[in-house]
């Protein structure tokens, strides 16, 4: 299975190369034409553990990894670092089901991919670049940063440098990052917003002078963001695991289509569901749930992608995004692999901020995807109503999807993806349940939420209260490159 860019078919790489490089040299994303010729016999996987199923899915799509290499990656990623042996359990929620993706070390769904991506990179590095050290650089609006820190900080010869916008992440999210242990870890608050940090990270990746300086210390930079194929592929597993759990529990018989409703930002999570469908999983509709930044929802409804609009700050911040990078992969597949069409769309997007799909392509999109959106008000009401009727507390991202799912009644069994623990956004969730509450800080909100909901906060969040703050660096946007260099210095010398 070889990978190439969504924007040209001139050069092909193995999955190990694609994972190390992250993004194709022409700015496209790595895809494989073999996806349509690849099938997994899911019916024979019904009694598989999460790890057994993961191994089967990964071996299909990352086929230059040896069986032993993948076994080791799966074992390291999906063990006691999750708080349940099922890794992504399925629980009942009213008439539908919740796929809980927040049982990992940082309590957000990004753990499922970011626990295993560092393992893939480590193996790929040993094969392709054994004498270099890798420094992961990432800008975060909150969840990705901590998940990357947790995944990469224990891997030898890898460092991780995370930039978050000062004053613009939740109390708990900030503490999760600044208390991160590990030798080659750098966490810095940036004086600016997420877009400023993100733009400068892109500049850092394109900075040839910096690249040369880093080479002297045998360090290369790499990225852990969601366009990496090594993040996409592991996310296919939980769609299959959820489906097979419903079969095993007698809710459906094998072959019955199941709809999945997915809180969506960068289109990585829901795209993995579409990949699962291509591999033969009986998926009905994939429902794209947006918050007020509903670019994708409008695209599915109208056939036009238009990012020319105001950015709205919401209580589901991990979905506050106007350019959903992973959609480029779907464009490639829906256009039957038309790389010039994809290039044209992406050029239009960067010059005019919008592009329109031809009618036939729009029809194909609507055949697989439905959509809806929830405002903050809808989200808060859903959190309150769900708690009242089921006793379950949803995080704001999950509540967006739950609200949208209820507006899409279906003959099919429906599964709502739960992407974060409510305790990660304790203040906003508490406010939705009790508008009169006035917690002093994140921990206060956690305590009150525990009392009100009779649930227990994850230990890795409550223990932050006594954790040592290890990272106090604050930098201007133009000093971010220096922080990357400083991190590289410790990394390059540590044998
Ligand atoms: C990142 C994130 C999302 C959005 O996922 P995409 O793959 O970017 O669409 C949804 N919910 C939470 C809690 C997240 O952290």
């Amino acid at each position: 299975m070889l990978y190439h860019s969504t924007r040209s078919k001139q050069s092909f790489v193995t999955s190990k190369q694609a994972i190390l490089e992250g993004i194709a040299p022409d700015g496209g994303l790595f895809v494989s034409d073999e996806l349509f010729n690849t099938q997994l016999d899911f019916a024979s996987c019904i009694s598989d553990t999460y790890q057994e199923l993961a191994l089967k899915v990964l071996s299909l799509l990352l086929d230059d990894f040896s069986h032993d290499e993948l076994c080791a990656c799966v074992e390291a990623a999906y063990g006691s670092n999750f708080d349940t042996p099922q890794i992504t359990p399925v629980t009942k929620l009213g008439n539908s089901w919740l796929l809980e993706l927040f049982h990992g070390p940082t309590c957000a769904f990004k753990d499922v991919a970011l626990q295993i991506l560092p393992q893939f990179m480590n193996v790929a590095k040993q094969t392709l670049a054994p004498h270099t050290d890798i420094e992961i650089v990432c800008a975060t609006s909150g969840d990705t940063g901590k998940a990357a820190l947790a995944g990469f900080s224990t891997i030898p010869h890898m460092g991780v440098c995370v930039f978050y916008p000062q004053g613009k992440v939740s109390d708990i999210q900030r503490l999760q990052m600044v208390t991160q242990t590990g030798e080659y870890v750098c966490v810095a608050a940036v004086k600016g917003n997420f877009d400023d940090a993100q733009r400068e990270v892109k500049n850092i990746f394109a900075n040839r002078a910096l690249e040369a300086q880093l080479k002297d210390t045998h360090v290369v930079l790499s990225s852990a963001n969601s366009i990496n194929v090594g993040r996409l592929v592991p996310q296919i597993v939980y769609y299959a695991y959820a489906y097979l759990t419903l079969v095993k529990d007698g809710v459906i018989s094998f072959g019955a289509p199941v709809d999945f409703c997915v809180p969506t930002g960068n289109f990585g999570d829901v795209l993995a569901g579409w990949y699962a469908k291509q591999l033969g999983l009986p998926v009905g509709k994939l429902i794209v749930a947006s918050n007020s930044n509903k670019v994708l929802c409008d695209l599915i409804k109208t056939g036009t992608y238009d990012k020319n609009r105001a950015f709205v700050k919401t209580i589901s911040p991990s979905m506050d995004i106007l350019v959903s990078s992973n959609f480029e992969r779907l464009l490639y597949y829906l256009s039957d692999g038309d790389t010039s069409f994809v290039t044209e769309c992406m050029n239009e997007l960067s010059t005019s901020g919008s592009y329109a799909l031809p009618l036939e392509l729009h029809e194909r999109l609507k055949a697989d995807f439905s959509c809806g959106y929830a405002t903050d008000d809808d989200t808060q009401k859903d959190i309150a109503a769900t708690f009242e009727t089921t006793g379950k507390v949803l995080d704001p991202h999950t509540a967006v999807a739950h609200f949208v799912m209820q507006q899409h009644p279906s003959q099919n069994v429906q599964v709502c993806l739960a992407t974060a623990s409510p305790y990660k956004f304790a203040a906003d969730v508490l406010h939705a349940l009790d508008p009169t509450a006035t917690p002093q800080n994140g921990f206060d909100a956690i305590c009150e939420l525990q009392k009100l909901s009779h649930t227990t906060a994850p230990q890795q969040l409550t223990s932050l209260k006594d954790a040592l703050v290890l990272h106090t660096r604050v930098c201007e946007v133009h000093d971010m490159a220096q922080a990357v260099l400083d991190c590289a210095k410790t990394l390059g010398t540590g044998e």
Side-chain angles (χ1 to χ4, degrees):
M1 175 152 310
L2 290 175
Y3 289 80
H4 63 82
S5 168
T6 44
R7 301 185 195 178
S8 76
K9 293 185 193 180
Q10 245 127 52
S11 64
F12 289 81
V13 298
T14 62
S15 76
K16 282 183 183 174
Q17 286 170 295
I19 285 169
L20 274 189
E21 286 174 31
I23 190 162
D26 62 4
L29 311 194
F30 287 114
V31 283
S32 175
D33 292 342
E34 291 304 309
L35 180 64
F36 291 138
N37 307 324
T38 308
Q39 291 283 302
L40 185 59
D41 179 12
F42 287 106
S44 71
C45 305
I46 293 171
S47 51
D48 284 0
T49 62
Y50 190 93
Q51 293 79 359
E52 287 164 345
L53 186 62
L55 201 55
K56 287 179 189 170
V57 172
L58 299 175
S59 339
L60 274 184
L61 297 178
L62 311 176
D63 65 356
D64 56 324
F65 283 77
S66 72
H67 180 76
D68 287 351
E69 284 171 343
L70 285 181
C71 280
C73 290
V74 166
E75 199 175 312
Y78 304 128
S80 56
N81 39 353
F82 281 74
D83 68 14
T84 158
Q86 298 169 77
I87 308 299
T88 62
V90 180
T91 57
K92 193 149 177 56
L93 181 70
N95 295 324
S96 56
W97 301 85
L98 209 56
L99 170 53
E100 298 184 359
L101 303 174
F102 51 78
H103 291 271
T106 79
C107 308
F109 98 98
K110 290 180 174 72
D111 284 328
V112 181
L114 278 166
Q115 282 295 299
I116 201 161
L117 177 67
Q119 309 295 334
F120 292 156
M121 276 204 185
N122 194 22
V123 171
K125 181 179 100 68
Q126 282 165 21
T127 313
L128 301 170
H131 303 298
T132 48
D133 290 351
I134 294 179
E135 182 182 347
I136 302 294
V137 179
C138 88
T140 181
S141 59
D143 285 339
T144 302
K146 178 59 184 185
L149 286 164
F152 282 98
S153 63
T154 56
I155 310 284
H157 297 284
M158 287 201 198
V160 50
C161 189
V162 168
F163 298 101
Y164 69 91
Q166 188 180 27
K168 296 189 178 65
V169 298
S170 86
D171 222 19
I172 301 294
Q173 286 177 316
R174 181 183 60 82
L175 282 169
Q176 278 190 299
M177 292 188 273
V178 297
T179 56
Q180 178 66 46
T181 57
E183 225 169 326
Y184 311 120
V185 168
C186 159
V187 178
V190 176
K191 292 187 183 168
N193 60 29
F194 170 69
D195 286 332
D196 300 328
Q198 173 77 44
R199 206 175 315 114
E200 183 58 14
V201 164
K202 284 186 183 156
N203 292 339
I204 286 171
F205 280 118
N207 184 335
R208 295 296 157 239
L210 181 70
E211 186 181 54
Q213 267 178 291
L214 289 168
K215 231 187 195 139
D216 292 340
T217 50
H218 305 287
V219 172
V220 294
L221 301 184
S222 189
S223 138
N225 69 23
S226 77
I227 53 177
N228 194 309
V229 73
R231 271 186 69 175
L232 184 61
V233 174
Q235 296 179 169
I236 299 169
V237 178
Y238 50 72
Y239 284 92
Y241 187 71
Y243 187 92
L244 297 172
T245 301
L246 293 174
V247 174
K248 202 163 40 187
D249 292 352
V251 178
I252 51 169
S253 42
F254 189 90
V258 168
D259 297 344
F260 291 92
C261 187
V262 188
T264 297
N266 218 5
F267 204 73
D269 197 357
V270 72
L271 182 67
W274 188 82
Y275 271 51
K277 187 172 184 175
Q278 309 317 306
L279 294 178
L281 193 74
V283 174
K285 282 279 186 192
L286 291 160
I287 306 168
V288 172
S290 304
N291 63 22
S292 292
N293 297 291
K294 58 187 181 61
V295 182
L296 280 170
C297 185
D298 290 347
L299 166 70
I300 294 167
K301 284 210 172 104
T302 66
T304 298
Y305 195 110
D306 186 3
K307 75 171 174 89
N308 298 314
R309 60 182 80 201
F311 177 93
V312 186
K313 191 171 158 23
T314 73
I315 58 169
S316 45
S318 301
M319 295 154 66
D320 288 347
I321 189 161
L322 297 179
V323 178
S324 298
S325 312
N326 269 299
F327 191 76
E328 182 171 343
R329 284 196 166 98
L330 188 67
L331 268 185
Y332 174 83
Y333 286 117
L334 288 182
S335 66
D336 293 324
D338 188 343
T339 53
S340 11
F341 170 74
V342 176
T343 308
E344 223 170 89
C345 289
M346 292 304 120
N347 286 344
E348 276 183 56
L349 185 63
S350 68
T351 52
S352 74
S354 78
Y355 61 85
L357 299 178
L359 202 63
E360 196 200 331
L361 224 142
H362 184 209
E363 290 304 321
R364 284 191 190 183
L365 176 64
K366 284 193 292 189
D368 284 333
F369 295 89
S370 325
C371 64
Y373 73 98
T375 63
D376 275 359
D377 190 45
D378 297 330
T379 309
Q380 282 163 339
K381 283 185 178 140
D382 188 85
I383 292 172
T386 304
F387 180 62
E388 197 160 298
T389 54
T390 69
K392 277 224 179 184
V393 185
L394 303 182
D395 103 282
H397 305 77
T398 308
V400 166
H402 186 245
F403 176 85
V404 169
M405 190 169 82
Q406 287 180 311
Q407 299 190 316
H408 287 77
S410 164
Q411 304 282 324
N412 300 339
V413 166
Q414 293 188 306
V415 176
C416 176
L417 273 62
T419 48
S421 159
Y423 284 102
K424 224 178 158 166
F425 303 93
D428 283 322
V429 172
L430 179 68
H431 179 74
L433 294 179
D434 177 8
T436 64
T438 48
Q440 297 303 303
N441 55 42
F443 291 111
D444 241 22
I446 286 182
C447 289
E448 289 196 38
L449 187 56
Q450 292 194 113
K451 272 190 224 136
L452 197 148
S453 68
H454 304 290
T455 60
T456 309
Q459 183 271 334
Q460 61 268 49
L461 297 184
T462 46
S463 66
L464 287 171
K465 193 163 189 190
D466 304 312
L468 235 44
V469 171
L470 302 169
H471 307 276
T472 52
R473 188 165 183 158
V474 179
C475 65
E476 302 284 347
V477 170
H478 62 258
D479 287 330
M480 285 167 59
Q482 187 58 47
V484 169
L485 264 179
D486 293 344
C487 181
K489 273 180 202 143
T490 60
L491 180 64
T493 53
E495 251 321 292

